Amino acid sequence: MMESIGSSEIDNDEYWPLSGKPYVDIILTKSAVKPTYSLYLPKKMNKELPSAGVPVVLTCGRKKWNLYYGGARSTYKFISTGWRKFVDGNNLKEGDGLVFELSECSTSKIEFRVQILRGDFPAELIPEDVEGTKSENPIILG
């Protein structure tokens, strides 16, 4: 996505090396970018997150989106309209990739740095279980 600033343009899709903190990567499917706006993160992230509900901030580029993480009581789910706003605000499409890097995690706040990797993968190349439907404890953004 390009943004005009004066006579020059900058690319809002920033990339940076991972810092060594926990991260997960996913390929977006239809259910993540259209109603129901649900995204399952791989269950390996469950052990990194608190079991109680806390506010969440997704940082992507120079913008931040606020969500609420419901913890174990909500089946490891982000419960707010924040995910849909993130999808719409970043013009995310089926086939785009995201890297969620856990930059802060406490009993009072979770923060993920998110990188967007644009891609138009043919639907037949996206694994059926990429949404976490086969995992025991998925995390749902919604």
Side-chain angles (χ1 to χ4, degrees), residues 45-54 69-72 76 102 105-110:
M45 189 57 72
N46 289 358
K47 66 182 180 183
E48 305 294 336
L49 302 176
S51 60
V54 294
Y69 171 71
Y76 304 100
L102 189 61
C105 185
S106 70
T107 56
S108 61
K109 180 182 178 183
I110 299 171

Side-chain angles (χ1 to χ4, degrees), residues 40-65:
Y40 292 86
L41 295 177
K43 71 177 186 175
K44 73 177 187 177
M45 189 57 72
N46 289 358
K47 66 182 180 183
E48 305 294 336
L49 302 176
S51 60
V54 294
V56 175
V57 177
L58 299 181
T59 302
C60 185
R62 297 180 191 128
K63 294 184 178 179
K64 295 182 183 284
W65 287 263

Side-chain angles (χ1 to χ4, degrees), residues 14 29 37 45 77 83 90 124 131 135:
E14 297 179 26
T29 59
Y37 291 94
M45 189 57 72
K77 175 179 174 178
W83 173 247
N90 288 291
E124 57 271 7
E131 293 182 56
S135 71

